[in-house]
Amino acid sequence: MTDPAQTPTGETPAGIPPAPAAAGTGTDEEAFHIPDDLALALTEFAAVEQLSRGEAICRILRESLRVKGYLRGSGPA
């Protein structure tokens, strides 16, 4: 996801400093805190389904949003 202070090409307009990276590796996943109980469940789900944590998060969000009617169709699993 592009920082709001960046152009679509990822460049920062003159005079606006770039946003600081998230703690750790700077990935989007680390931009928020996952509570310990959810992190454990997510790790177990990812292992059973043989997915990365990021893929597991996307699968869970996709299914949840689809069930609640916010996402149409099944999309890639």
Side-chain angles (χ1 to χ4, degrees):
M1 187 163 127
T2 303
D3 184 283
Q6 292 180 333
T7 65
T9 62
E11 297 172 335
T12 303
I16 300 175
T25 62
T27 62
D28 286 343
E29 182 181 335
E30 294 174 350
F32 60 92
H33 173 72
I34 299 174
D36 292 341
D37 60 335
L38 291 178
L40 179 59
L42 177 62
T43 299
E44 290 175 10
F45 175 78
V48 169
E49 298 293 322
Q50 297 181 348
L51 302 168
S52 70
R53 279 178 49 120
E55 291 169 328
I57 289 169
C58 288
R59 183 176 288 184
I60 292 164
L61 283 173
R62 182 179 295 113
E63 179 62 14
S64 176
L65 293 172
R66 187 189 61 74
V67 166
K68 292 180 184 260
Y70 294 104
L71 185 63
R72 306 289 185 251
S74 61

